[in-house]
Amino acid sequence: MPQPNTSYDAIVIGSGISGGWAAKELCEKGLKTLVLERGRNVEHLKDYPTALLAPWELPHKGATPRALLDANPLISKAAGYGEDTAHFFVKDADHPYEQEKPFDWIRGYQVGGKSLTWGRACQRWSPHEFVAPERLGYGMNWPIGYDDVADWYTHVERFVGVCGAADGLEAMPDGDFLPPFDFNCAELHLRVALRRRYRDRHVVQGRWAQLSEPREIHLQQGRGTCQARNLCMRGCPYGGYFSSVSSTLPWAQKTGNLTIRPDSVVHSILYDEAKGKASGVRVIDAHTQAINEYRARIIFVNASALNSTLILLNSTSRRFPNGLGNDAGVLGRYVAFHNYRASAHGTLDGLEDRYFYGRNPTECILVNFRNLGKQDADFVGGYTTFTGGYRTRGVDAATRLGGTYKDAQAQPGPWGLYMYMQGETVPKYDNHVRLHDTLKDPFGIPRLVTSVGYDDNDEAMIRDWLTQANEMLAAAGCRDIESRDNHQAPGLDIHEMGGCRMGRDPKTSMLNAWNQLHAVPNVFVTDGACMTSTGNQSPSILYMALTARAANHAVEELARQNL
């Protein structure tokens, strides 16, 4: 029999961006909730050791030391990784997995997960993105549409604090925004130039989870105005950007209903055949290797897309020998990601008498203009383009020595514009993850095998984006334009999605319209694993909206005694 302190109303596996939201919503609604986190504890303010350090106060003045790079050749590729942020990323050797095809799995194991280091872009999906895969023949529809999540987007935006402007664009619906960060002069120039040249290309101010002007709800969270330091990935002592650690978890804690158990590696979800429900979670203590079991009426799986899939695959029983709820054999299948291989930049003459101040933590967005409602390219799916204007340091000098050169480097250099692609990819049955037959991780859990790659559609999208980017930078008046395909492996985008997708048909999907396992309805999966398709927008705010929606449904179903 379980001990009294091992029984809860709800268990949430994972404390990152969606796990934090599950905890907040469930605790607010009165459920005694246990959050299990496999990594160490991290507390807001207390555990941001580099947050206020100047570059010269860091051991290597901000340079990542060779020994750290050599010991972590994979994780050190991640955007934002450095000696000031390495403590929020895993070490390669500690968490092995098997790459059947090259796949860079970027992870951050601590309370707060990757919400401490996320990119913070928060665009809503367009209504087209929910239906385009089936309409254009490259996938299946979601079991829900934009109208099902619109109010939940608003719910999340108000609590998180998302800056942006009301732009009135079909491809990227407006939300409940805080004031945007201003364009600099180069960005404004690009916006005007593209408007003049194209009718369908719109550069808008970044929609980002930054408190440009906090509201009362944010002040109640203890968060304040973003200081435009752009040091977010160190953890923000001002609470200027949203993370689980600064926002949802402390909010849940205030209800008195939250228990967080860090250093708890989830082995599997337990299934009670007599009741036809999940009954709890088996956990390995990360330090002692002791095994504990916790019981709850509902379980939210929010361990990040691939870890959530791993846990479900490892949750076997006589009823589910191939993983929890995996009657149709689709668990681990249809894994997708965002295509980040293409980028371009150019030098912009003029505007030398214009300057900018502060470090804007947001980026401008060139809203998707491809395959919007109908196919107009030789590939399917759309792409978002992130863009910005920057000013280089230093001007040309006759010599690279002495005072003349030093004075030249103290002058602001020319302006430039950059662009990079965030492209939709097609979820395919063959792109999958599975458990290794023999190899185990340090906790005795089968290692995950990743078998995910690009396809011809991805290559066609890259070609089109590079062509369009070169054309648009030229239209803006840039010279010395350079563009490239970096050929990076999938995964480095840190937008892995799918593996436990939503759908109407249990024969082709794992989850219903409320993120419940079709076959085990008291288990909810609301992180990236649930994604039916990737769309072209940044996905995190959709995870948050789906989580809040699912939590509300779970509580209503508990009240009806349906779970």
Side-chain angles (χ1 to χ4, degrees):
M1 294 290 291
Q3 298 299 311
N5 63 348
T6 62
S7 293
Y8 297 85
D9 296 320
I11 292 174
V12 177
I13 303 172
S15 62
I17 213 156
S18 64
W21 264 93
K24 169 191 172 293
E25 296 291 306
L26 295 171
C27 287
E28 277 189 320
K29 292 175 170 59
L31 271 62
K32 294 293 184 183
T33 301
L34 172 66
V35 171
L36 296 168
E37 166 55 50
R38 65 179 291 152
R40 65 187 173 94
N41 194 29
V42 169
E43 295 181 26
H44 184 49
L45 301 177
K46 173 176 171 288
D47 293 316
Y48 302 155
T50 60
L52 296 173
L53 296 184
W56 54 88
E57 295 176 303
L58 293 164
H60 301 87
K61 311 297 184 280
T64 307
R66 174 53 59 188
L68 189 60
L69 294 172
D70 290 345
N72 299 280
L74 191 155
I75 199 72
S76 62
K77 299 177 191 174
Y81 183 92
E83 74 164 343
D84 57 335
T85 60
H87 48 282
F88 288 147
F89 294 86
V90 301
K91 294 180 172 61
D92 287 354
D94 293 346
H95 303 283
Y97 66 103
E98 302 302 311
Q99 301 179 57
E100 194 164 76
K101 298 176 183 176
F103 186 92
D104 294 328
W105 189 11
I106 306 302
R107 292 162 287 172
Y109 292 156
Q110 61 264 322
V111 169
K114 290 183 291 188
S115 77
L116 286 159
T117 57
W118 69 305
R120 310 175 306 284
C122 281
Q123 318 95 289
R124 293 186 180 201
W125 276 38
S126 73
H128 296 297
E129 284 165 275
F130 289 92
V131 300
E134 186 165 300
R135 178 177 294 172
L136 301 183
Y138 63 96
M140 69 179 193
N141 278 353
W142 286 62
I144 58 175
Y146 177 77
D147 290 342
D148 294 304
V149 293
D151 289 344
W152 293 104
Y153 269 128
T154 304
H155 177 70
V156 169
E157 287 161 349
R158 287 174 177 166
F159 190 82
V160 166
V162 177
C163 63
D167 299 296
L169 299 172
E170 178 186 14
M172 205 170 75
D174 294 332
D176 189 337
F177 296 144
L178 307 175
F181 281 77
D182 285 341
F183 291 118
N184 63 38
C185 61
E187 293 160 352
L188 189 58
H189 172 85
L190 175 67
R191 173 184 166 99
V192 171
L194 296 192
R195 270 188 179 174
R196 189 177 298 138
R197 176 71 173 268
Y198 308 94
R199 290 193 306 172
D200 62 347
R201 305 194 184 183
H202 306 280
V203 175
V204 305
Q205 291 148 316
R207 298 178 178 184
W208 242 249
Q210 310 285 150
L211 295 184
S212 57
E213 191 174 293
R215 296 175 180 168
E216 178 59 28
I217 187 65
H218 309 124
L219 299 176
Q220 289 177 17
Q221 295 170 38
R223 301 169 57 203
T225 306
C226 172
Q227 302 296 300
R229 304 186 316 147
N230 203 17
L231 297 175
C232 310
M233 288 189 179
R234 298 180 180 185
C236 181
Y238 308 99
Y241 79 100
F242 168 83
S243 73
S244 298
V245 172
S246 67
S247 179
T248 44
L249 291 175
W251 193 265
Q253 199 91 54
K254 286 196 294 187
T255 67
N257 291 324
L258 178 66
T259 300
I260 301 177
R261 194 181 193 283
D263 302 310
S264 299
V265 179
V266 173
H267 173 277
S268 55
I269 297 170
L270 306 172
Y271 181 72
D272 186 327
E273 290 194 23
K275 295 180 179 177
K277 299 178 181 179
S279 58
V281 173
R282 181 170 295 139
V283 171
I284 301 171
D285 187 288
H287 299 297
T288 67
Q289 303 274 325
I291 296 175
N292 298 297
E293 293 183 357
Y294 299 91
R295 307 284 172 176
R297 291 188 289 166
I298 59 171
I299 297 167
F300 270 67
V301 187
N302 301 90
S304 84
L306 299 193
N307 262 329
S308 289
T309 303
L310 186 159
I311 290 168
L312 293 167
L313 286 166
N314 201 42
S315 301
T316 57
S317 61
R318 189 169 58 182
R319 167 67 181 85
F320 296 109
N322 299 312
L324 189 66
N326 191 20
D327 286 333
V330 295
L331 180 60
R333 299 286 175 176
Y334 302 101
V335 173
F337 52 95
H338 272 147
N339 185 340
Y340 267 80
R341 280 174 41 186
S343 63
H345 63 91
T347 299
L348 184 66
D349 290 327
L351 307 174
E352 282 85 1
D353 60 343
R354 305 291 297 278
Y355 306 91
F356 66 95
Y357 301 92
R359 298 172 181 166
N360 186 344
T362 75
E363 290 181 303
C364 303
I365 300 171
L366 172 52
V367 183
N368 177 45
F369 53 87
R370 281 292 189 236
N371 299 326
L372 192 63
K374 62 179 181 180
Q375 189 164 353
D376 56 17
D378 64 349
F379 57 87
V380 295
Y383 51 67
T384 289
T385 299
F386 293 104
T387 182
Y390 58 92
R391 194 158 192 187
T392 58
R393 174 175 294 181
V395 297
D396 292 338
T399 176
R400 294 182 67 83
L401 291 171
T404 301
Y405 180 66
K406 183 178 178 181
D407 290 343
Q409 296 311 300
Q411 299 299 313
W415 285 89
L417 290 168
Y418 71 87
M419 297 179 170
Y420 63 92
M421 180 181 79
Q422 177 175 280
E424 182 174 357
T425 65
V426 178
K428 297 179 289 291
Y429 182 83
D430 289 342
N431 272 352
H432 72 281
V433 296
R434 65 180 189 276
L435 301 185
H436 197 279
D437 292 335
T438 56
L439 293 177
K440 305 286 182 66
D441 72 8
F443 305 103
I445 297 172
R447 293 187 188 181
L448 196 70
V449 179
T450 58
S451 185
V452 179
Y454 293 102
D455 61 17
D456 291 342
N457 193 73
D458 300 322
E459 302 297 334
M461 181 181 287
I462 290 167
R463 286 194 296 272
D464 180 73
W465 189 93
L466 290 171
T467 299
Q468 299 305 317
N470 276 277
E471 183 180 294
M472 288 187 286
L473 289 173
C478 285
R479 61 174 170 81
D480 300 332
I481 297 170
E482 297 181 9
S483 57
R484 67 187 290 256
D485 174 357
N486 61 28
H487 296 283
Q488 72 180 37
L492 197 55
D493 49 285
I494 325 182
H495 285 184
E496 60 269 20
M497 292 175 253
C500 186
R501 65 178 182 173
M502 297 171 72
R504 294 192 179 91
D505 187 350
K507 294 178 181 176
T508 59
S509 64
M510 290 290 296
L511 305 172
N512 68 12
W514 298 101
N515 295 78
Q516 298 166 277
L517 286 175
H518 289 298
V520 192
N522 69 328
V523 175
F524 297 77
V525 183
T526 64
D527 60 14
C530 78
M531 298 290 277
T532 308
S533 59
T534 75
N536 63 83
Q537 314 292 353
S538 303
S540 295
I541 192 169
L542 182 54
Y543 305 163
M544 292 188 264
L546 290 173
T547 300
R549 178 176 179 268
N552 184 68
H553 179 72
V555 172
E556 290 178 347
E557 288 294 278
L558 284 172
R560 298 186 189 107
Q561 299 188 335
N562 289 336
L563 295 177

